[in-house]
Amino acid sequence: MIRAAGFPEAAVRARARGGPSAVFPDADGYGGAVFGAAAPEGDDLDRVRLVPPVFVPHRLEKMYELGREPLYSDVELGRSVGGFTAPLPVFLCAFGSTQVGTGLGVAVSEQAGRLGVPMVIGENVVPMHGYGRVDAVEDGLLARIRAYARAVPDGLGGVVVQQSTEDADAEVWNLVYSDPDATRLLETGRLAFELKVGQGAKPGLGGMTVLSPSVAAAVADRYALDDSLGDVVLRSSSPGTFTEEILRQQLRLMRNNYPRARVWVKLHPGRDIAHAVRVAWCAGADAVTVDGAEGGTGWAPTVFLDHVGLPLAECLARIGKHDGDLLVSGRIWEGARALKCLARGATAVGLGRAALIAAAEDPSDGLIRLIACLDLELRLLLSALGKYTLTDLTDDDLWSPTDDQL
Amino acid sequence: MTDTLTTLPPGTREHLLSPVTQAALRVQNAITTGARDYLGAHGFQELMPPLIGPVTDPGIRGSKQVDVDFYGHRYKLMTSVILYKQASLLAFDKIFYVAPNVRLEPLETADTGRHLAEFTQIDVEVRDASREDVLELLQGLVRHIVTHVLRERRADLDLLGRDPAAFEALLREDFERMTHRAAVAQLRGLAHGQSADAEIDWAGEKLISEQTDRPFYIVDYPKGSRGFTDGESAAEPGILRNFDLIAPAGFGELASGGERTHEYRRLIERMRETGENPAKYAWYLDLARDGLPASAGFGLGLERLTRYLCGLDFVWQANAYPKLPGIASP
């Protein structure tokens, strides 16, 4: 037996035994696990600390308004998120079209609706789960929209429907735009379409799912299939070809074709992220979502999870000051990380894996309780910073051990 | 015109027995006869339109396509025959179709008075023509049709209460050409918040149409307002070499057309700019890779032209079995 101390011998042996299937997380866990980069030692955002000041002029301002000492319950968290009114600066990210999302899609939609939290419905839901108008599928796109629309209070929230390059074949946006089940949302300005340019878990790649050979055969005319993984088939979407001009014109066409819908764009954490978000805003995007490399629920090669894409903290730093609506996601589940992103310029933060896990824990109320915790933590933290509205947050509220000027 | 919200098509029997319907359909018959005479005399070959295909004109302004299960392949009902028009120029230099189209338009178009989910276009394409060539052609065609209708169906126009004087300016003066930019400025001057980057919206189209007494062209739409087949200007990037023909007195758009994107690399780029997946258009791109002719052309809405010539309140009055967006009907 050859031994190679200090060399990743086991990983090499795994590849020698398994071939291309060893490039991915263990397929046996597929359907029961969500993916996304692991960061056991924490990342730059984790190392940043929230730093309340001693002197709190904003609290004094609040006291003038209230006529008494302000408390954390006086914090106002409601704000406009991508053209929708949200009760707190939180939205639900699209889930990968994995089996994990299957069955939970409607439960998550119903809970998000009750909260009035904006919700993104992911690409591939129509090609993989069905639309749900003629094909009576339980977890199709329409079932999710209906569940949300039934539960959502007047004046709050909104549904965002993603479309990728392959979804364009299914004309997802056209289907939704004239669907009677979406009319109430559309007429109250609570429907958006999100152009998916990329995602955090695998920047530069399209969506990937693992299918049984029989299911794969049914979608063979629309997707690239790779059967080198053994018993299962890897189904890939294309990443889509974008240049500055292609992105700009696609957004203009969205605004032209769907004048009553909001327009969102989701970008992967590319090195040109600062330029790309500004191209999207200039072309009229109501919101740009940036998915840090820590994000992602979908199936991805481990080399991407470990090595590819900018971390969320670096994305925020590169984007810097701006006037646009910037939505971010990436390992967010509690108040501190959320507040750090907001202080660094995000308008709202997205829940991905956290929302799926919470809904799986309790399909009727798990997500609602998780967001109640987030709501409370945000109030406590903002109040501790001596601030009572989100717009007062600044970079001064954060301290980083790597920040030279502090 | 009457309140659009109060008037939807009656039942099939009542609609077919209505003297208004019958007169409008007789005028429509004269329109197609006149169009065939004119185009035939100008050397055009009429082709029979394909009804289904692996792809069709990409959905525009939120309209949906209808899927057909073609022996296990997902086919589409034609939303327009534009791709086939370009291909047909491999066989003939000047072609036209009288082509049925199906577009499941957004629900909000049900009460514009100008939208049908199923309608017919007189679809014309000319090899190596410029936009200006087809603007001339379309003006000549519309004048010929109007002259023909006035001569052949005067009694029907009288029955419908349509005064032939409404067409005097059309027959006497050239159709004006206004850029999209000028149209936006005019609409903003009329306190209508028209986007400079988008198609003229439906309310704007009606409003600008009310400002004149004869048809006119809006040219030079911005890229981002139209599908990939509309050709982009080489001299002015971002501007399309296209047009709409707008009828006066609030009747709105009658025709759309322009020079076409036909070069393979430009088609690929324009497909991506319009969010399309090139793989879907394989048969068409294969033709383009080996060379599609440069061309220009237009689609003239038959029911819309009928409505305008007859002075009808609603476009559905010019169709025997009208299908309005969102309303189930035979």
Side-chain angles (χ1 to χ4, degrees):
Chain A
M1 176 77 85
I2 297 173
R3 291 292 173 203
F7 190 78
E9 179 190 335
V12 172
R13 289 185 185 281
R15 290 181 171 208
R17 281 193 307 276
S21 64
V23 168
F24 294 87
D26 187 354
D28 290 343
Y30 189 82
V34 290
F35 300 93
E41 74 289 358
D43 61 14
D44 285 349
L45 273 177
D46 292 322
R47 283 184 282 278
V48 166
R49 295 186 68 84
L50 291 152
V51 282
V54 175
F55 299 123
V56 283
H58 286 97
R59 186 175 296 159
L60 180 61
E61 288 296 325
K62 191 70 178 175
M63 190 156 65
Y64 292 145
E65 178 192 323
L66 295 173
R68 59 168 170 76
E69 280 287 353
L71 297 168
Y72 67 84
S73 53
D74 296 312
V75 170
E76 294 162 20
L77 290 179
R79 79 173 351 175
S80 171
V81 174
F84 302 144
T85 303
L88 73 169
V90 169
F91 69 100
L92 288 210
C93 301
F95 308 132
S97 56
T98 64
Q99 294 164 35
V100 176
T102 307
L104 288 177
V106 172
V108 167
S109 303
E110 194 274 335
Q111 292 183 57
R114 274 156 66 194
L115 290 164
V117 167
M119 176 184 77
V120 186
I121 299 177
E123 61 153 337
N124 302 332
V125 169
V126 171
M128 300 308 298
H129 298 284
Y131 181 60
R133 164 68 57 207
V134 180
D135 44 337
V137 288
E138 289 179 5
D139 208 25
L141 183 73
L142 272 190
R144 298 181 196 203
I145 292 177
R146 282 192 203 112
Y148 188 97
R150 268 197 305 268
V152 70
D154 287 342
L156 277 182
V159 169
V160 188
V161 179
Q162 260 184 8
Q163 180 169 289
S164 67
T165 303
E166 281 76 9
D167 288 322
D169 295 4
E171 294 198 71
V172 174
W173 290 336
N174 282 339
L175 289 173
V176 173
Y177 195 68
S178 55
D179 197 295
D181 279 332
T183 301
R184 179 178 165 233
L185 293 171
L186 189 60
E187 288 181 344
T188 53
R190 290 185 290 172
L191 184 69
F193 292 142
E194 182 170 77
L195 175 63
K196 183 179 174 184
V197 177
Q199 61 181 323
K202 34 189 175 288
L205 294 183
M208 288 178 163
T209 51
V210 175
L211 306 175
S212 67
S214 61
V215 173
V219 297
D221 58 334
R222 279 162 280 158
Y223 293 97
L225 299 175
D226 182 344
D227 57 6
S228 64
L229 268 59
D231 297 337
V232 293
V233 178
L234 175 67
R235 188 234 65 186
S236 299
S237 300
S238 70
T241 302
F242 287 91
T243 61
E244 195 175 323
E245 179 69 355
I246 288 172
L247 177 59
R248 181 184 300 117
Q249 295 303 336
Q250 286 203 17
L251 292 175
R252 286 191 179 162
L253 197 74
M254 286 171 74
R255 291 171 59 83
N256 183 73
N257 288 2
Y258 314 108
R260 298 200 295 168
R262 306 283 181 182
V263 172
W264 289 24
V265 183
K266 181 172 183 175
L267 302 175
H268 61 254
R271 63 175 189 250
D272 48 359
I273 189 70
H275 182 51
V277 294
R278 285 171 173 83
V279 168
W281 283 325
C282 286
D286 293 295
V288 179
T289 302
V290 175
D291 200 13
E294 309 90 327
T297 53
W299 180 256
T302 49
V303 70
F304 277 75
L305 298 173
D306 294 340
H307 295 285
V308 182
L310 292 175
L312 181 53
E314 179 63 18
C315 290
L316 287 164
R318 290 191 183 202
I319 292 167
K321 290 194 185 307
H322 61 84
D323 298 323
D325 228 0
L326 179 67
L327 314 182
V328 302
S329 54
R331 285 187 60 234
I332 289 163
W333 63 277
E334 45 69 65
R337 190 174 176 84
L339 202 67
K340 292 171 188 176
C341 292
L342 296 170
R344 286 265 153 95
T347 309
V349 296
L351 300 180
R353 281 171 286 181
L356 263 184
I357 294 164
E361 180 67 20
D362 179 350
S364 62
D365 290 299
L367 177 62
I368 292 196
R369 294 194 196 101
L370 178 77
I371 291 184
C373 295
L374 186 52
D375 181 277
L376 177 59
E377 284 179 337
L378 285 174
R379 289 175 193 281
L380 291 168
L381 290 167
L382 260 169
S383 166
L385 293 165
K387 297 182 174 178
Y388 297 86
T389 65
L390 294 163
T391 48
D392 289 335
L393 276 173
T394 68
D395 218 26
D396 291 340
D397 295 310
L398 308 180
W399 173 79
S400 166
T402 57
D403 215 345
D404 291 339
Q405 73 266 27
L406 289 178
Chain B
M1 291 184 202
T2 50
D3 179 359
T4 54
L5 293 174
T6 61
T7 313
L8 291 173
T12 303
R13 175 177 297 275
E14 189 182 338
H15 183 55
L16 291 173
L17 289 173
S18 159
V20 172
T21 308
Q22 293 169 6
L25 294 179
R26 281 192 295 268
V27 169
Q28 190 168 84
N29 193 53
I31 291 172
T32 51
T33 306
R36 285 188 164 110
D37 288 348
Y38 186 84
L39 293 169
H42 285 76
F44 280 79
Q45 168 82 25
E46 180 174 3
L47 296 173
M48 295 303 113
L51 297 180
I52 57 172
V55 286
T56 181
D57 195 7
I60 46 173
R61 282 218 232 187
S63 71
K64 279 189 294 195
Q65 301 175 356
V66 178
D67 286 350
V68 175
D69 183 349
F70 186 72
Y71 302 96
H73 300 275
R74 187 167 54 170
Y75 269 44
K76 303 286 187 182
L77 279 182
M78 285 300 129
T79 56
S80 94
V81 287
I82 175 64
L83 305 181
Y84 292 92
K85 286 206 295 182
Q86 287 183 270
S88 299
L89 296 178
L90 292 169
F92 304 101
D93 288 349
K94 296 177 170 184
I95 59 105
F96 76 100
Y97 295 99
V98 178
N101 299 160
V102 177
R103 295 180 189 172
L104 302 187
E105 300 278 5
L107 296 169
E108 67 215 53
T109 61
D111 61 0
T112 61
R114 300 198 299 283
H115 287 86
L116 288 170
E118 183 181 61
F119 62 98
T120 300
Q121 289 194 89
I122 299 169
D123 246 317
V124 176
E125 198 70 15
V126 185
R127 183 174 180 141
D128 295 325
S130 68
R131 179 181 66 190
E132 281 61 36
D133 293 336
V134 293
L135 292 180
E136 289 292 323
L137 175 69
L138 179 54
Q139 176 178 296
L141 175 64
V142 169
R143 280 183 171 168
H144 179 84
I145 288 170
V146 169
T147 305
H148 183 74
V149 166
L150 289 173
R151 188 174 66 235
E152 301 293 328
R153 305 272 29 128
R154 183 63 175 267
D156 288 317
L157 296 182
D158 290 344
L159 185 152
L160 293 164
R162 186 62 158 157
D163 184 353
F167 307 109
E168 283 176 3
L170 175 154
L171 293 170
R172 190 179 61 237
E173 296 171 56
D174 284 342
F175 300 175
E176 280 186 30
R177 299 172 192 186
M178 168 190 282
T179 63
H180 177 271
R181 178 180 300 194
V184 169
Q186 184 178 351
L187 283 168
R188 289 180 176 175
L190 294 165
H192 179 78
Q194 172 64 44
S195 163
D197 297 323
E199 183 78 85
I200 305 294
D201 60 43
W202 291 299
E205 183 186 311
K206 183 166 185 293
L207 184 60
I208 202 166
S209 162
E210 287 166 349
Q211 313 302 313
T212 179
D213 64 351
R214 65 185 189 280
F216 66 99
Y217 293 117
I218 300 179
V219 301
D220 290 353
Y221 281 77
K223 201 160 71 160
S225 67
R226 292 290 170 92
F228 65 79
T229 55
D230 283 33
E232 184 175 3
S233 167
E236 291 181 272
I239 300 294
L240 299 173
R241 295 277 299 158
N242 62 356
F243 67 91
D244 276 357
L245 175 64
I246 309 290
F251 287 99
E253 180 190 329
L254 295 178
S256 284
E259 293 171 17
R260 313 300 185 186
T261 314
H262 65 99
E263 295 161 308
Y264 176 76
R265 288 174 65 95
R266 288 297 294 138
L267 279 167
I268 292 277
E269 290 161 9
R270 295 278 291 125
M271 282 181 181
R272 285 305 299 152
E273 286 170 5
T274 53
E276 292 288 332
N277 185 2
K280 186 173 150 183
Y281 294 90
W283 77 266
Y284 172 76
L285 284 174
D286 284 347
L287 286 181
R289 198 192 278 269
D290 293 333
L292 274 176
S295 67
F298 55 82
L300 174 60
L302 181 60
E303 289 87 353
R304 288 181 172 185
L305 183 59
T306 309
R307 176 189 174 220
Y308 166 53
L309 295 193
C310 295
L312 302 172
D313 289 334
F314 311 104
V315 73
W316 59 257
Q317 294 173 290
N319 187 300
Y321 303 97
K323 293 175 186 69
L324 285 164
I327 298 174
S329 45

